[in-house]
Amino acid sequence: MSNCDDTNYKGVCAILGFEPEFVKMDFCDTAAVEQLFDSHKIDAVIHFAAFKAVGESVKEPLMYYKNNLGSFLNVLEAAKAHGTNVLFSSSATVYGEPDETPVTEKSPRKSATSPYGNTKQMCEDFLRDSVAAYGMHGIALRYFNPIGAHPSALIGELPRGVPNNLVPFITQTAIGKRECLSIFGNDYPTPDGTCLRDYIDIVDLAKAHVCAVRRMIDGLMDEPYEIFNIGTGRPVSVMELVTAFEKVNGLKLNYRIAPRRAGDVTAVWADPSLAESKLGWKASRTVEETLAAAWAWEKHLAAKAQ
Ligand code: UD1
């Protein structure tokens, strides 16, 4: 919880109508992780806990390696001891600047361009090797660009400080927290000159986890270690996203074209067909629905702050 408060936990409780057990602990604390596994019967772990800002990882690589790798090693040790299934939050960042789009799970991983990206690749390898050696089962989900919020507006993205990612920057500009959105580059070799990404709705993304956990605990896996792209298969440019946000929410966004951001890839989007055939999962929400939910969440935060 180094980058959040308990807003989202409270939102989860409100949506569920009960309070799921919540243990606040540091996953880099080996003894605490062992104790957690010893005191619960755990069928599967979904490991989300990691730092995720690309630029910050370049400035503080050791902080990223220590946290992202250390916490996952503890999870794997405990999972090994207890025969627990492990689902790892991986990222499209492992594909780097791909030679061909859309990318499939067989597309080559490129050398990581940031310590953050490196931790995603390394954790995938930790899981692959542990599964091979210890008779465990694991799935890595490679998320494309998760955006949006729960339609109830009770859970959503709440970055501390200035957001790095596009959609929270858009919603914070629209609400007046930020003066102007910078669109990083309009001279890319894409139809409108801005970068292409595969924006995946957060609720669709959450559902992919349910499917993946079921696959592991129901013994349906073809291989003990599997990888799935979790995206829509639909490339959307930064400009298209901004225009869609303005249209669906009936407002004008203050934006300007700025220089390219170091480290950005031109275009990456998923071939999600493996997830559809094996997990029975497919993204269903439109970009417009997702952007409406993101805006409802930002307004909910603003109303709460008053
Ligand atoms: C990056 C990582 C991804 C990681 C995600 C979460 C890479 C290649 N991708 O995605 O793995 O999971 O961050 O932090 O390392 N943009 C603007 N203005 C802004 C912000 C963004 O124009 O103020 C543009 C960017 O140039 C990019 C697009 O919007 O083209 C999406 O950016 P962002 O939301 O930061 O995600 P990625 O960089 O694609």
Side-chain angles (χ1 to χ4, degrees):
M1 297 186 77
S2 56
N3 194 27
C4 68
D5 57 24
D6 62 1
T7 305
N8 279 323
Y9 174 67
K10 286 186 182 148
V12 168
C13 296
I15 291 165
L16 292 175
F18 66 92
E19 293 182 10
E21 185 178 353
F22 171 60
V23 182
K24 185 172 175 178
M25 55 176 280
D26 179 0
F27 265 76
C28 289
D29 179 343
T30 309
V33 176
E34 279 169 5
Q35 207 274 329
L36 183 78
F37 275 71
D38 287 343
S39 57
H40 294 76
K41 158 115 185 54
I42 301 174
D43 295 315
V45 175
I46 304 177
H47 184 64
F48 295 119
F51 292 143
K52 67 159 193 82
V54 175
E56 183 184 57
S57 79
V58 175
K59 289 194 194 108
E60 292 288 351
L62 294 181
M63 183 174 109
Y64 270 67
Y65 289 126
K66 208 167 165 186
N67 187 47
N68 292 10
L69 306 182
S71 61
F72 194 47
L73 287 173
N74 283 336
V75 168
L76 289 172
E77 285 282 6
K80 173 193 164 195
H82 294 266
T84 314
N85 297 296
V86 178
L87 193 164
F88 174 62
S89 297
S90 190
S91 167
T93 197
V94 303
Y95 297 116
E97 180 89 62
D99 299 325
E100 280 178 13
T101 41
V103 288
T104 74
E105 292 77 358
K106 291 199 164 61
S107 299
R109 290 190 331 187
K110 295 288 183 67
S111 10
T113 52
S114 71
Y116 159 76
N118 212 11
T119 68
K120 290 293 169 193
Q121 295 196 350
M122 290 165 90
C123 285
E124 282 193 355
D125 295 347
F126 293 175
L127 181 57
R128 180 200 60 205
D129 295 347
S130 301
V131 161
Y134 308 129
M136 301 161 57
H137 287 80
I139 290 183
L141 297 184
R142 290 181 177 158
Y143 308 166
F144 281 68
N145 285 58
I147 60 166
H150 191 268
S152 64
L154 290 171
I155 42 181
E157 220 169 333
L158 191 53
R160 286 208 173 130
V162 182
N164 288 296
N165 295 117
L166 179 58
V167 170
F169 210 105
I170 290 177
T171 57
Q172 290 195 8
T173 305
I175 207 93
K177 265 198 222 169
R178 313 271 154 219
E179 216 167 283
C180 181
L181 167 77
S182 294
I183 294 183
F184 298 136
N186 68 347
D187 56 352
Y188 284 96
T190 60
D192 66 16
T194 64
C195 295
L196 295 172
R197 294 287 183 278
D198 186 332
Y199 295 95
I200 174 76
D201 182 273
I202 196 75
V203 176
D204 279 333
L205 178 66
K207 287 178 179 168
H209 293 74
V210 177
C211 298
V213 167
R214 290 227 166 97
R215 185 170 171 85
M216 290 194 292
I217 61 181
D218 292 344
L220 300 174
M221 296 174 72
D222 294 336
E223 305 286 340
Y225 172 58
E226 295 179 335
I227 300 171
F228 296 103
N229 283 343
I230 304 298
T232 64
R234 187 178 54 210
V236 173
S237 76
V238 176
M239 206 59 236
E240 283 173 327
L241 199 84
V242 167
T243 309
F245 180 84
E246 291 184 324
K247 198 165 164 216
V248 71
N249 296 313
L251 44 82
K252 276 270 156 234
L253 199 68
N254 194 19
Y255 68 82
R256 67 185 182 100
I257 305 299
R260 290 183 179 195
R261 181 172 70 174
D264 275 340
V265 300
T266 304
V268 59
W269 70 95
D271 174 341
S273 52
L274 192 67
E276 185 173 359
S277 65
K278 299 286 181 189
L279 295 178
W281 172 89
K282 195 173 188 269
S284 67
R285 287 166 63 81
T286 64
V287 161
E288 287 75 18
E289 284 172 315
T290 306
L291 292 173
W295 181 228
W297 164 249
E298 191 68 60
K299 285 191 291 188
H300 168 81
L301 287 177
K304 235 179 67 172
Q306 274 174 5

